[in-house]
Amino acid sequence: MAEHTDDSVSTVDSIMDKISDKIHHHDSSSSSDSDNEKSSPSTVKSAIYRLFGRQKPVHKVFGGGKPADIFLWRNKKLSAGVLGGATAVWVLFELLEYHLLTLVCHCLVLSLGILFVWSNASVFINKSPPRIPKVAIPQDLVVNIALSLHFEINRALSVLRDIALGRDLRMFLAVIAGLWVLSIVGSCCNSLTLFYIAFVLLHTVPVLYEKYEDQVDSFAEKAIAEFKKQWAVFDARVLSKIPRGPLKAKKKV
């Protein structure tokens, strides 16, 4: 009788083990399915075409600091102030035909006159004279700016050298076309107006692109595909027919 009881207990235990194994197997399969479902949107999102092969958000592309906040209007008051200051400078020098040296001298004269009168009049109005803070440019800031300029200039010279050597014909034609368009624009307006236009574009184009990046990227993908198609036709009909003779080996004397 005891042996029969032990057999029944062992049978019940084996059945419970099988049920628990099935439950764990179902949970693991469901969790793997859910993980696949969670990972599938990311893979689909990574497969979306981004302009210029961009993989980071627009804010990270601009450095992710205060300059990015200004260009993308994350701080609207600061962005409006910077754009308003640039507009005021452009109005002064371009529309009012103010000169830089004259402006600097007038600002210094006005500032020094106000501080001089205030510091001497404080004796009569029983107020302490204004405290003028000591202004000094930190050495690290100047060194970092110089190193950044040194790196960017060297990189630009390296790119221009590669283009001049003819290693990338498409890049060569694109640079020539860009310089030609820039020369036309430069003949229509002076350097200050050109810099102001570029400054305004930096404050408008990135924020508009960030707002409508999906539509812009979709349109850019179609435009680039069409450009590649037309370039292939141009290459087959024109560039491939340009005679390029082999380099003759120098004769040994």
Side-chain angles (χ1 to χ4, degrees), residues 8-228:
S8 62
V9 170
S10 61
T11 305
V12 171
D13 292 338
S14 62
I15 293 172
M16 294 298 294
D17 291 337
K18 291 180 180 180
I19 293 173
S20 62
D21 291 338
K22 289 182 179 181
I23 292 173
H24 288 303
H25 179 70
H26 179 71
D27 292 338
S28 62
S29 62
S30 62
S31 62
S32 62
D33 294 337
S34 61
D35 292 337
N36 292 330
E37 290 177 357
K38 290 180 180 179
S39 61
S40 58
S42 62
T43 57
V44 172
K45 187 175 181 180
S46 62
I48 297 175
Y49 174 83
R50 293 302 180 190
L51 195 61
F52 304 116
R54 178 178 58 86
Q55 297 179 355
K56 298 179 180 180
V58 181
H59 191 266
K60 292 294 183 181
V61 172
F62 282 92
K66 289 185 178 180
D69 294 338
I70 293 174
F71 291 140
L72 297 177
W73 290 79
R74 299 294 172 85
N75 189 345
K76 295 183 179 180
K77 292 183 179 180
L78 184 59
S79 300
V82 172
L83 187 59
T87 304
V89 170
W90 180 75
V91 169
L92 281 174
F93 292 114
E94 184 63 24
L95 298 183
L96 301 180
E97 295 182 354
Y98 221 69
H99 298 285
L100 178 61
L101 183 60
T102 305
L103 179 64
V104 171
C105 292
H106 286 177
C107 290
L108 288 175
V109 167
L110 183 62
S111 301
L112 291 175
I114 291 174
L115 292 175
F116 180 81
V117 171
W118 190 2
S119 60
N120 286 279
S122 61
V123 180
F124 302 99
I125 59 178
N126 297 324
K127 287 186 178 182
S128 60
R131 295 181 180 179
I132 302 175
K134 184 179 179 181
V135 179
I137 299 176
Q139 184 178 0
D140 295 336
L141 178 62
V142 178
V143 172
N144 291 331
I145 293 174
L147 290 176
S148 300
L149 289 175
H150 176 264
F151 175 75
E152 294 296 335
I153 290 173
N154 285 337
R155 187 172 67 173
L157 291 176
S158 178
V159 171
L160 291 176
R161 179 178 178 275
D162 293 338
I163 294 172
L165 290 176
R167 296 177 180 176
D168 191 349
L169 182 59
R170 184 183 300 179
M171 180 63 70
F172 174 76
L173 295 177
V175 171
I176 295 299
L179 291 175
W180 181 67
V181 172
L182 191 61
S183 65
I184 295 176
V185 174
S187 62
C188 298
C189 56
N190 56 15
S191 300
L192 180 61
T193 302
L194 189 61
F195 282 121
Y196 177 69
I197 292 173
F199 194 80
V200 172
L201 290 177
L202 281 175
H203 279 76
T204 54
V205 174
V207 65
L208 292 176
Y209 172 70
E210 187 183 32
K211 187 176 181 180
Y212 304 103
E213 61 178 344
D214 293 334
Q215 294 85 344
V216 174
D217 290 337
S218 178
F219 177 78
E221 184 179 9
K222 296 177 182 178
I224 291 175
E226 184 65 24
F227 173 76
K228 289 181 178 179

